[in-house]
Amino acid sequence: MTNHRAIALVFAIHGAVAGSLSTRIPWLQDHFALSPGTLGLVLLCQPIGAFIGMPMAGRLAYRVGGRRATRVLIALWCLLVCVPVLMPGPGWLFPAFLLLGAAAGTSDVVMNAHAVVLERKLGRSIIAGLHGLWSVGSLAAGGIGILAAHFGVDARLHLGLIALLLLGLSLVAGRGLLADEPVTGQPAPRRFALPTRAIAAVGLVGFCGTFAEGASANWAAVYVTQVAAAGPAAAAATYTVFMLFMAGTRLLGDRIVGRLGAVATVRAGGVVAAVGGVLVVAGRTTWVCAAGFALIGIGIAVSAPLAYAAAGRTGSSPGEGVAGVTTITYLSSLIAPAIIGGAAGALSYPAAFVLITLIVILMGVLAGALRPRPTVPTVPTVTMTDSALRPGP
């Protein structure tokens, strides 16, 4: 297995774990008799765990080697997918989701940093396509989860089998990852790497794209239901259209970046997403709104992946740079649904999506931060190592 195929499989596996777990959240709620408020607090533990773990991922990869860190953390992420459903009581869900979040966040950092190192070695963009494969893995595993739930398969059996299957695939992928190169004379990354000013500038681009992704993924179905009087099937189809167009654009994104460059690609994406936002705001029929969400998905698809790649080149090490941007994008995906919900409640749904339209315009304006800078000697693969998500998506 080539290095490229190996890291591609890692991304698909990471997405499959996320997609598998998300489909069994209703089972968790019923099994443990959780109120909506309690369930919300439980789910909040996952991003909290990610925030705690991600800034330390670069240091961990430096100590054990980027290749080994990726192999261990993706295997851990696969195994932990079944832990919440095996808990003996609801109180155990809080530490379980904290641990899940830490595994998800640290593995996200190391695999993205590994991709940055491999991208540099290959001399061409690959990270957008890798994020597209994450979406494919998430959608495929989500489909399996929906079927399992429909036919009444116990979540413990479903996720236990998924954990074993994905663990096996992760072991196969791990053997093909890029080998670490020896490190000489390079300082270790900080133990807890918060974003520097340069990383924060790159992170703002990812923040804008991830904000639009998280808000659209969480509110697309509700929006067309409330604004366009869409039925349940049409509402679900609108969400699916958004996710599919975003995933498809990511799969093609590296070719676009190869032709236009990162800055021009994100700026063009900002224009496309802004047009989509206008259609969503102005549209009062399901098909117009769905077309708008499709354009938003196309426009924002590669902003976060390209921010990760730029951060890997900007930081003192790929792992430290990616960790900083990933922290910013996770924050964005966490707050976006709540901000849009608050704006919709205080004003209206169209007014809330005016905000999203302005944010994607800002994404295009800030795209210059992705422009390659003179490289500073960095630790090779060893230093190594989101999304997004959206959410997933």
Side-chain angles (χ1 to χ4, degrees):
M1 180 179 292
T2 65
N3 300 145
H4 191 181
R5 289 180 179 177
I7 192 62
L9 182 55
V10 168
F11 270 77
I13 291 169
H14 195 286
V17 174
S20 297
L21 183 61
S22 65
T23 60
R24 304 321 299 255
I25 297 301
W27 186 95
L28 271 178
Q29 184 175 19
D30 292 340
H31 182 73
F32 291 105
L34 302 175
S35 68
T38 302
L39 178 61
L41 291 175
V42 167
L43 296 179
L44 183 61
C45 288
Q46 187 166 341
I48 291 174
F51 279 123
I52 294 171
M54 285 186 298
M56 297 183 284
R59 178 80 173 199
L60 173 64
Y62 178 86
R63 289 302 182 192
V64 305
R67 183 173 186 262
R68 183 181 299 175
T70 304
R71 295 179 68 177
V72 170
L73 290 173
I74 194 66
L76 180 64
W77 175 227
C78 292
L79 284 173
L80 289 178
V81 69
C82 62
V83 167
V85 298
L86 298 176
M87 291 296 97
W92 290 92
L93 293 175
F94 293 95
F97 272 86
L98 279 171
L99 186 59
L100 267 172
T106 52
S107 58
D108 195 1
V109 170
V110 298
M111 72 187 196
N112 272 285
H114 189 98
V116 170
V117 174
L118 180 58
E119 188 174 75
R120 186 182 302 165
K121 182 180 179 68
L122 295 175
R124 58 185 174 86
S125 176
I126 63 170
I127 200 163
L130 295 178
H131 280 256
L133 289 172
W134 189 99
S135 300
V136 170
S138 180
L139 289 169
I144 294 172
I146 291 170
L147 290 175
H150 176 75
F151 289 106
V153 178
D154 190 285
R156 290 166 291 196
L157 175 61
H158 165 222
L159 293 182
L161 293 174
I162 287 292
L164 292 176
L165 172 64
L166 295 179
L167 175 63
L169 290 174
S170 74
L171 296 177
V172 172
R175 289 198 294 267
L177 293 175
L178 187 67
D180 295 328
E181 298 178 9
V183 180
T184 56
Q186 293 292 339
R190 292 170 293 166
R191 287 184 175 86
F192 195 84
L194 292 177
T196 62
R197 181 178 299 180
I199 296 298
V202 173
L204 281 176
V205 179
F207 180 96
C208 293
T210 308
F211 188 99
E213 177 183 347
S216 298
N218 282 273
W219 288 100
V222 176
Y223 187 93
V224 295
T225 300
Q226 298 296 324
V227 175
T238 300
Y239 164 80
T240 303
V241 164
F242 168 75
M243 294 300 294
L244 287 176
F245 272 83
M246 186 169 63
T249 303
R250 283 176 173 169
L251 290 172
L252 298 173
D254 294 315
R255 296 181 183 180
I256 300 171
V257 174
R259 289 176 176 270
L260 302 180
V263 174
T265 298
V266 173
R267 283 179 176 162
V271 173
V272 172
V275 172
V278 171
L279 288 179
V280 170
V281 171
R284 293 298 181 268
T285 61
T286 302
W287 72 267
V288 173
C289 292
F293 280 111
L295 290 177
I296 292 175
I298 292 170
I300 65 175
V302 299
S303 58
L306 292 179
Y308 294 150
R313 298 188 300 265
T314 302
S316 61
S317 73
E320 188 170 329
V322 172
V325 166
T326 306
T327 302
I328 294 171
T329 57
Y330 264 63
L331 173 64
S332 176
S333 64
L334 178 64
I335 66 175
I339 291 177
I340 294 304
L347 301 171
S348 67
Y349 286 98
F353 273 80
V354 169
L355 174 61
I356 293 177
T357 305
L358 294 175
I359 285 175
V360 296
I361 292 173
L362 179 62
M363 178 189 77
V365 172
L366 297 174
L370 304 181
R371 186 172 288 109
R373 291 172 172 78
T375 57
V376 177
T378 59
V379 182
T381 310
V382 193
T383 32
M384 174 139 153
T385 57
D386 215 193
S387 36
L389 303 159
R390 92 10 257 101

